[in-house]
Amino acid sequence: MKVLLDLQHLNVATTGIKTYMLELAKAARKYSHPEIEWIFTHEPEIQAADRSFLGPKSKIQRLNYHLDYFRWKEFQLPDLVKKYKPDVLICPDFVSPAASLPCRRLTVIHDAFFWQMPENYPRWWRKYFLNLIKKGLKEDTEIITTTEYSKSSLVEHLGDAWPISVVYQAPKGLKSASDTQFLSRCGLNSHGYFLHIGTFDRRKNLPLLVDAFAAYLNQNPGCKKLVLAGGPGQSKRMNDFPVVEKLVSDLGLQDQVLLPGYLSDGEIKALYEGAFGYVFPSQNEGFGIPILEAMGFGVPVIHSDQQALLEVAGGAGLAFQTGDRDDLTEKMILLDREKVLRSRLISQGKERFKDFSAEKFIEAFHRLILKPSL
């Protein structure tokens, strides 16, 4: 059974989708199956390191990227299908070619954000991208998504014309050595800070976290710091970084809230190892990789009661009511004061982490690949 894995999108993918693609490729190589031959369109690490289309770009440069992406999906990828004659094509970035293909398709649609939150996307771009997605859902196609919550959301917006399977992904494998000096360079003490890692997309609710942290400090002055690591939101419309910066300044929290930006794997590893607690206040997620990363490092997790996060945490996190600042503050205080609770969350989190291994991730793909065609 030949499987062609489309890895073109790694040159611009960020956060969750990038992790998904890289971990899928790594697992495919590490946990081989005697009946499956994997063919990659690109060498994963090399494609992920290509920064040609990353960073702030002019309108012309952004247009060039969209043209490059369209050319890849509609011409170059179908040509590779003709060349390699795979039995299955996997597109892990929402979009499969509109052209008719002589193979099965497994198309990964990670979430339903484009339908659920149209206000977060430029109208013309959203319309164009949704058109690409729908034109690629044809012939012998099966959709793969990340959680039961995402599945139900996709059925609501796409209907049930295509079978949808849930495959739990594996978190990023942080193999780099921990940067042991990073905490001291940032003025942080081990177990002396709450942590969040990710982009400043509006749906992440990071201003809410800053507000809740300020309220927490009112009852525990000087007790902990807050680290918000990661870069700006993925578009000007979705970016809450300036909002967070202004809020930190207005609240006088410049010494208590750190915004270190994008970090290396070694620096991220050091932050996880030293964190007192991980806080994930997002209002909408398709999966929530940082929950698992934190649990794997023995960091107790506070998360919103958004459905995907409840599903991934599996009861091993401390949930608060989505969007409720006072409830979030209460949970941060509770984690700080209740040592038995914190120990229990750490223990349960480590057990929950085991349910999302790279081996289980690829085994789920193996089952779908080898399943008889409909």
Side-chain angles (χ1 to χ4, degrees):
M1 183 78 72
K2 280 186 179 181
V3 178
L4 180 63
L5 177 60
D6 175 13
L7 296 174
Q8 164 76 6
H9 189 61
L10 274 174
N11 64 342
V12 294
T14 58
T15 59
I17 295 180
K18 182 177 182 179
T19 297
Y20 191 103
M21 296 173 73
L22 286 173
E23 295 307 315
L24 177 59
K26 290 177 186 176
R29 283 180 165 165
K30 183 174 182 180
Y31 301 103
S32 60
H33 191 287
E35 298 179 47
I36 298 175
E37 175 190 352
W38 287 87
I39 303 167
F40 294 171
T41 61
H42 299 75
E43 186 58 34
E45 297 296 341
I46 293 175
Q47 185 67 2
D50 180 2
R51 305 187 65 81
S52 302
F53 294 108
L54 282 179
K57 302 290 182 182
S58 68
K59 289 183 178 179
I60 293 297
Q61 288 171 311
R62 290 196 294 270
L63 177 61
N64 284 338
Y65 165 70
H66 289 303
L67 290 173
D68 181 75
Y69 185 78
F70 181 83
R71 185 167 55 247
W72 168 259
K73 286 291 183 181
E74 306 306 339
F75 298 99
Q76 293 170 284
L77 184 55
D79 282 345
L80 287 182
V81 170
K82 292 178 183 178
K83 176 181 178 180
Y84 291 112
K85 296 179 173 57
D87 300 285
V88 179
L89 169 66
I90 299 178
C91 294
D93 61 338
F94 291 81
V95 176
S96 177
S100 292
L101 300 175
C103 62
R104 288 174 58 209
R105 308 177 192 220
L106 298 179
T107 301
V108 183
I109 302 183
H110 297 256
D111 49 60
F113 296 164
F114 298 115
W115 295 273
Q116 293 172 323
M117 298 182 291
E119 69 279 3
N120 286 351
Y121 306 94
R123 185 171 62 179
W124 69 268
W125 183 89
R126 176 178 173 271
K127 184 177 180 180
Y128 166 73
F129 198 68
L130 287 178
N131 189 52
L132 284 181
I133 292 174
K134 290 180 179 179
K135 285 186 178 298
L137 296 176
K138 60 193 305 180
E139 299 165 338
D140 191 359
T141 293
E142 182 164 356
I143 296 171
I144 296 173
T145 194
T146 53
T147 56
E148 293 294 339
Y149 165 72
S150 288
K151 178 178 178 177
S152 64
S153 300
L154 290 173
V155 169
E156 178 183 348
H157 294 283
L158 289 176
D160 56 3
W162 301 276
I164 302 178
S165 295
V166 174
V167 173
Y168 286 145
Q169 66 191 89
K172 183 177 181 180
L174 294 170
K175 301 300 183 184
S176 300
S178 177
D179 185 341
T180 57
Q181 300 303 311
F182 182 68
L183 297 189
S184 61
R185 291 200 303 269
C186 293
L188 295 169
N189 297 319
S190 182
H191 297 158
Y193 56 91
F194 291 98
L195 175 64
H196 180 278
I197 298 176
T199 61
F200 283 71
D201 281 352
R202 188 158 298 153
R203 64 183 173 83
K204 299 289 186 179
N205 263 352
L206 294 179
L208 178 85
L209 175 52
V210 174
D211 263 337
F213 178 66
Y216 162 84
L217 287 180
N218 285 337
Q219 299 190 49
N220 300 271
C223 183
K224 297 281 189 303
K225 292 186 177 183
L226 173 64
V227 180
L228 304 177
Q234 296 182 40
S235 72
K236 186 175 182 179
R237 183 188 298 254
M238 296 165 61
N239 181 26
D240 256 354
F241 187 80
V243 177
V244 170
E245 276 193 315
K246 184 177 185 305
L247 184 58
V248 169
S249 177
D250 289 348
L251 294 172
L253 296 177
Q254 295 92 330
D255 293 333
Q256 285 79 32
V257 179
L258 280 68
L259 308 173
Y262 285 117
L263 301 174
S264 69
D265 282 359
E267 291 167 336
I268 290 172
K269 196 170 185 179
L271 280 177
Y272 274 128
E273 289 173 345
F276 174 79
Y278 190 93
V279 187
F280 205 162
S282 183
Q283 67 180 11
N284 200 2
E285 291 291 330
F287 188 77
I289 289 174
I291 281 183
L292 297 178
E293 290 179 345
M295 288 178 173
F297 280 98
V299 180
V301 174
I302 300 172
H303 61 84
S304 63
D305 62 359
Q306 190 268 340
Q307 292 180 49
L309 300 185
L310 288 171
E311 183 178 339
V312 171
L318 187 60
F320 73 95
Q321 185 175 341
T322 303
D324 189 326
R325 187 208 72 164
D326 292 340
D327 193 23
L328 174 53
T329 300
E330 181 181 319
K331 295 304 190 294
M332 295 172 77
I333 293 171
L334 192 63
L335 187 66
D336 195 16
R337 294 181 178 176
E338 299 291 335
K339 294 183 179 179
V340 173
L341 170 66
R342 187 168 184 275
S343 295
R344 176 172 61 80
L345 290 173
I346 290 172
S347 176
Q348 291 177 339
K350 288 180 177 179
E351 286 303 308
R352 182 59 173 162
F353 175 78
K354 296 175 183 177
D355 293 333
F356 297 85
S357 68
E359 188 171 9
K360 290 182 178 180
F361 184 30
I362 198 63
E363 284 176 351
F365 266 94
H366 289 163
R367 288 192 293 270
L368 290 172
I369 290 165
L370 297 173
K371 184 175 70 174
S373 182
L374 298 177

